[in-house]
Amino acid sequence: MPSEPQDKTTRLTIPSDAHQVRLALCTLFDALATGPLPPDTRDTAQIVLAEALNNIVEHAYGTERGEIEVTLHTSATGLHCQIADFGRPMPGGILPEGRLSLPHLMADLPEGGFGWHLIRSLSQDLRYRYEGGCNRLEFRIESQQSAL
Amino acid sequence: MPSEPQDKTTRLTIPSDAHQVRLALCTLFDALATGPLPPDTRDTAQIVLAEALNNIVEHAYGTERGEIEVTLHTSATGLHCQIADFGRPMPGGILPEGRLSLPHLMADLPEGGFGWHLIRSLSQDLRYRYEGGCNRLEFRIESQQSAL
Amino acid sequence: MQIDTTRHTNRLIVHVRETRIDAASAIEFKEQMRSITQSTALPVLLDLSCVTFIDSSGLGAVVAVRKALDPGRLLELAGLTPAVEKVFRLTRMDSVFPILPALPADLPDDLRDAV
Amino acid sequence: MQIDTTRHTNRLIVHVRETRIDAASAIEFKEQMRSITQSTALPVLLDLSCVTFIDSSGLGAVVAVRKALDPGRLLELAGLTPAVEKVFRLTRMDSVFPILPALPADLPDDLRDAV
Ligand SMILES: Nc1ncnc2c1ncn2[C@@H]1O[C@H](COP(=O)(O)OP(=O)(O)O)[C@@H](O)[C@H]1O
Ligand SMILES: Nc1ncnc2c1ncn2[C@@H]1O[C@H](COP(=O)(O)OP(=O)(O)O)[C@@H](O)[C@H]1O
């Protein structure tokens, strides 16, 4: 079967830096704005990608220089994302749980640790593997007007 | 006399492209936001620089590729700007007058031609020369809370 | 370019959720405004409160939006930040467009006093 | 980062004139908010209507702003766009912050009905 007319693959290499991640997201999502994804799916995709990329900048590369490779593929079932980096592997070789804990006292509210909770809540088919010095993260953002 | 502590020179080379001009202005004025210029002067400077740079992209280089060199120098008397490009010279070798003409009918309103009027209204010591294939534009943005 | 709309007292309020209308975005602004304004016949209120910078190309695009509308249809501007206000004033476009000092409340009346 | 303030019915309304509060701007956001909120003791209403994207670093910065304020001082949020609303909801921060559906009118009363 030939691919759907809206099938499209985009590849991008991003230096490990918060400003470069912002620039890449703006470029990608400006282009996606005229694409086949509904607004809600686009927002979801941008949130998940931002969290995944910022985690790599902060935790996988940290103060080291490095590059992040992003491959996006739009199809009828959504946006398929593959992210590769050559930084530190995930602690324990597995993805963080991303459990949310809400304390009772305002003063105890966490100022971080929301990232993996957002990624897990908003993505499908999440997979991670570390091979040959390369972290590979894959997920799909479902293309539908969900109530999420 | 030693230079004032806030004296600072910034140099930047910008590819002739509207998006690159935007990026350069954002970078420059984000940095200036924490500098010694009052907000009103910063707005004025950004307007004048944007007009000068966009004119070069549109008229001096047009569809050709090219680079624009910007040198900014902050001093007690304001922001000194020098802009160089290797595109077409100004028509007749002199700066456009930038006279504003407001028609009576809405349908006759111009959708362009405001650029040089803004540059002339908001800058001091405006100078232009064309030498050895290079357009050189210089001006100063006065550092004061003017009523403009 | 993110632009969305709300309605308030029989006006289409068009919110530009961008910080710049400039040479890099003027064409897209015109195109989106055309499709938005063609979707209704309501008077239009353009909310520029997020726009902290406009250049002459952006100004030209706002003029083009005005000229593309039926001459009898209202196009008001609101929420001009200082740099935008300056460009409109220096080009005398502040005498061409009705400019409101701020946005009308888009709260329901019963909530308006609660906050 | 452009942030400015207005006052309305004894509240300091803080307008974030940026489209993003993200990992690239979270620190600057916190710093500017600290100096702004320290300049008065008024309750604070954070106007996020220009912000079309926030990530977990931006969210963490809003939490940090809340924690830096006196516990008795009100910090309300208003103008959440869809993507921002989604991040607050998924992290349950919508139950931690009072969130207003929209901004209170910042028009003078006599103009409010004219528009
Ligand atoms: N890409 C990564 N590489 C290595 N470690 C990571 C990566 N992403 C997350 N981690 C680890 O998992 C923890 C939880 O991540 P997250 O939920 O995004 O919170 P935060 O980044 O705000 O600390 C991080 O503090 C870090 O120790
Ligand atoms: N940098 C430049 N190089 C060559 N010609 C220019 C340049 N800037 C302006 N011009 C000419 O002067 C005219 C007036 O410029 P301007 O007031 O900025 O209006 P606009 O750019 O909207 O046409 C332009 O239409 C162009 O013909």
Side-chain angles (χ1 to χ4, degrees), chain B residues 52 55-56 58-60 85 88-91 96 112-117, chain C residues 56:
Chain B
N55 275 332
I56 293 170
E58 272 174 54
H59 303 299
D85 72 74
R88 277 185 290 284
M90 291 287 169
F114 305 111
W116 279 100
H117 173 72
Chain C
S56 65

Side-chain angles (χ1 to χ4, degrees), chain A residues 13 42 116 139-140 142-143 145:
Chain A
T13 302
R42 235 164 44 219
W116 279 100
F139 52 86
R140 182 169 58 87
E142 205 146 81
S143 185
Q145 305 276 29

